[in-house]
Amino acid sequence: MTTTRHRRGARAVGGLLPPELKKAFRSRGFVEAAVLTEWPSIVGDRLAAMCCPERLGRDGALRVRAQGAAAPELQHLAPQILDRVAGFFGYRAATRLVIVHGPPATRRPAPTPRPRALSPAEEASLGRRVAAVEDERLREALARLGKMVLGSQSP
């Protein structure tokens, strides 16, 4: 009589996928794209400000760019970073951390659109609205705000 041993406890979803499917996902870059786009939510804002991922190789090496004193700290935190990446994906997507020295790429905020120029009628209307304000600095601030609000709307 044969006995079957059952594994107890939680299993990573990635462990249930066939090897062929894992290869297909990795070759399509799904893992890499998610690491790049979700880096702050994976490692937290503090670590994301110190470093940025460059790529996740097929060999499981996660290349991270960091500069100066951040590199030794990242080396010290490597097991936690790899655990966070594994927790994010549900399987061990990265098996080792490779730190590349250099300035991390900065995330630039989306440029704010410049407001359009107001028509003379809009300028006059805005001037009449803020004219009743006695404090000169407050009146000027309200006029600037009014120009920004009206300039962001379509004419």
Side-chain angles (χ1 to χ4, degrees), residues 12 34 99 137:
I99 300 171
R137 291 178 59 200

Short mmCIF file of all heavy atoms in Angstrom, two decimals, residues 12 34 99 137:
data_model
loop_
_atom_site.label_atom_id
_atom_site.label_comp_id
_atom_site.label_asym_id
_atom_site.label_seq_id
_atom_site.Cartn_x
_atom_site.Cartn_y
_atom_site.Cartn_z
N ALA A 12 2.65 29.17 -3.29
CA ALA A 12 2.64 30.30 -4.21
C ALA A 12 1.92 29.90 -5.49
O ALA A 12 2.07 28.78 -5.98
CB ALA A 12 4.06 30.75 -4.53
N ALA A 34 5.84 44.87 -14.78
CA ALA A 34 5.20 45.11 -13.49
C ALA A 34 6.21 45.59 -12.46
O ALA A 34 5.90 46.43 -11.63
CB ALA A 34 4.49 43.85 -13.01
N ILE A 99 23.15 44.94 -7.73
CA ILE A 99 23.14 46.39 -7.56
C ILE A 99 24.14 47.01 -8.53
O ILE A 99 25.31 46.65 -8.53
CB ILE A 99 23.46 46.78 -6.11
CG1 ILE A 99 22.41 46.17 -5.18
CG2 ILE A 99 23.50 48.30 -5.96
CD1 ILE A 99 22.71 46.29 -3.73
N ARG A 137 -3.08 92.14 -1.30
CA ARG A 137 -2.40 90.86 -1.55
C ARG A 137 -3.41 89.74 -1.79
O ARG A 137 -3.22 88.89 -2.66
CB ARG A 137 -1.49 90.51 -0.38
CG ARG A 137 -0.28 91.45 -0.30
CD ARG A 137 0.61 91.17 0.88
NE ARG A 137 1.11 89.79 0.83
CZ ARG A 137 1.58 89.14 1.90
NH1 ARG A 137 1.61 89.73 3.07
NH2 ARG A 137 2.01 87.91 1.79
#
